[in-house]
Amino acid sequence: MTQAYNPKFPQTISGALYPRNYVVAVIDDLWEAQMAAQAFLDAGYDVSDIRLMDSHEALQNIDELEAGRNWFQRFLSSFQGTTDETGASVYKSEALRGYHILHVHATTSEEVEKIRDILEVYHAHTIKFFGPWSVEDIPPRHVQTH
């Protein structure tokens, strides 16, 4: 597996983003995303386990990742529009809408649950856990009714 410019967020063989052992979520409002990141610090998470990318930074990182692909990865990624094996392409779409991406390191299902509970307070959506072998959509625990 090749590594992206940031080894915390490796790529699949096709060059797709795969932030192994991270819960990744979208938060529409930057202030709210910053408050969520602070909430994780307040909950005892290490600063190195939290990565908030505003929409511009996320798009810049994705562009750099895509530009750094080798010929084989570019070939494989030409099929990814319909076969994104990780579902990570949704985060590029969200960043294009001006939304912000928060990554929080997790290695156990208990940590994933705790992270989800904190994220819900800050109206996070499109939450996925990129585990060692699979990607799992994380549905909200508390369904809000209108």
Side-chain angles (χ1 to χ4, degrees):
M1 208 176 282
T2 58
Q3 296 290 311
Y5 75 96
N6 183 339
K8 285 174 59 174
F9 302 110
Q11 296 170 260
T12 64
I13 194 166
S14 69
L17 179 66
Y18 195 89
R20 181 172 305 184
N21 292 327
Y22 275 83
V23 174
V24 182
V26 176
I27 301 177
D28 299 356
D29 180 77
L30 182 57
W31 179 82
E32 202 163 23
Q34 292 166 336
M35 295 301 295
Q38 183 61 50
F40 285 105
L41 293 172
D42 294 345
Y45 286 79
D46 190 84
V47 69
S48 66
D49 290 335
I50 304 162
R51 175 80 189 272
L52 173 60
M53 287 188 266
D54 69 33
S55 59
H56 299 291
E57 180 185 2
L59 289 171
Q60 180 181 3
N61 289 343
I62 291 166
D63 289 345
E64 288 175 13
L65 181 74
E66 290 173 352
R69 290 179 176 164
N70 63 39
W71 70 269
F72 182 68
Q73 290 171 325
R74 285 192 301 276
F75 171 74
L76 289 176
S77 70
S78 67
F79 299 103
Q80 262 184 290
T82 57
T83 62
D84 179 12
E85 73 270 22
T86 67
S89 63
V90 70
Y91 296 106
K92 180 176 183 178
S93 299
E94 295 285 7
L96 284 167
R97 295 175 68 190
Y99 300 154
H100 315 287
I101 315 300
L102 181 61
H103 302 75
V104 183
H105 187 259
T107 55
T108 68
S109 58
E110 292 80 15
E111 287 177 310
V112 172
E113 296 292 320
K114 182 179 175 183
I115 291 167
R116 177 202 20 221
D117 291 345
I118 293 172
L119 288 170
E120 281 188 350
V121 172
Y122 298 94
H123 306 104
H125 56 92
T126 318
I127 304 170
K128 295 179 182 283
F129 174 61
F130 290 78
W133 305 108
S134 64
V135 178
E136 179 183 348
D137 288 321
I138 306 300
R141 182 184 309 270
H142 305 99
V143 178
Q144 297 179 356
T145 58
H146 299 285

